[in-house]
Structure formats: C-alpha cells, structure tokens
Amino acid sequence: MASASAQPAALSAEQAKVVLAEVIQAFSAPENAVRMDEARDNACNDMGVLKFARLVKSYEAQDPEIASLSGKLKALFLPPMTLPPHGPAPGGSVAAS
C-alpha cells in the first residue's frame, strides 16, 4: 500500500490513454477549429489542464503509448519550432562586442 504522504493518481494509465485519445480526436475535428483557437487563447488560465498534464507526464516514462499520445496532443497546441544551429560559428570563435 502507498504511503500516507503520496497522493493516489486520479487516473490510471489506461484511463489516461483513453482520455488522451479522445481529446486528440476531438481537437482534430474540423468542426472544433474555432473552439480550438479559443482554447489556445485561454489555456494559460486553466489549472485543470496543468494537473492533467503533470499526471500524464508521470505516465510517459512508464508507457510508450501514453508518451506518443502526449506528443500528439502537445503538437496540437505548440507550433513547430526550428532549432538554431549548434556548434561554434565559422572561424571557430565567438565575435566580441
């Protein structure tokens, strides 16, 4: 049995998979495009989303399917980003300013 200081998970890993799949399906539906824009605008104010994201994050390392679904959900909310090139600048030194 878990110690008294540890909080039990609100969702099991299987329940998290189901919820993630349903959320992705709903967010991907064309009829929800306007609502998705509104949700993106309001997402920073929703603590429930943060709690759910934290719970899902805890399951990502344990279950590759949850990690995959979580990645798909993040891709819906976060725009693709290009990474800057790595390594030293041509010439091998950093320019002084």
Side-chain angles (χ1 to χ4, degrees):
M1 188 166 186
S3 69
S5 64
Q7 285 185 311
L11 293 174
S12 70
E14 287 303 313
Q15 290 170 321
K17 284 183 204 179
V18 171
V19 171
L20 284 166
E22 289 177 0
V23 168
I24 290 168
Q25 182 179 12
F27 285 163
S28 299
E31 63 268 18
N32 291 329
V34 172
R35 293 174 69 189
M36 276 300 298
D37 289 337
E38 292 171 0
R40 284 186 187 103
D41 291 340
N42 295 323
C44 63
N45 297 323
D46 191 349
M47 287 301 294
V49 170
L50 296 176
K51 288 178 182 179
F52 178 70
R54 185 179 298 154
L55 178 65
V56 168
K57 184 72 173 167
S58 71
Y59 287 134
E60 285 178 357
Q62 301 169 19
D63 192 312
E65 186 178 356
I66 289 178
S68 174
L69 290 168
S70 178
K72 289 177 184 177
L73 184 59
K74 288 175 189 172
L76 291 171
F77 284 96
L78 302 173
M81 296 176 57
T82 56
L83 296 175
H86 295 281
S93 65
V94 177
S97 43

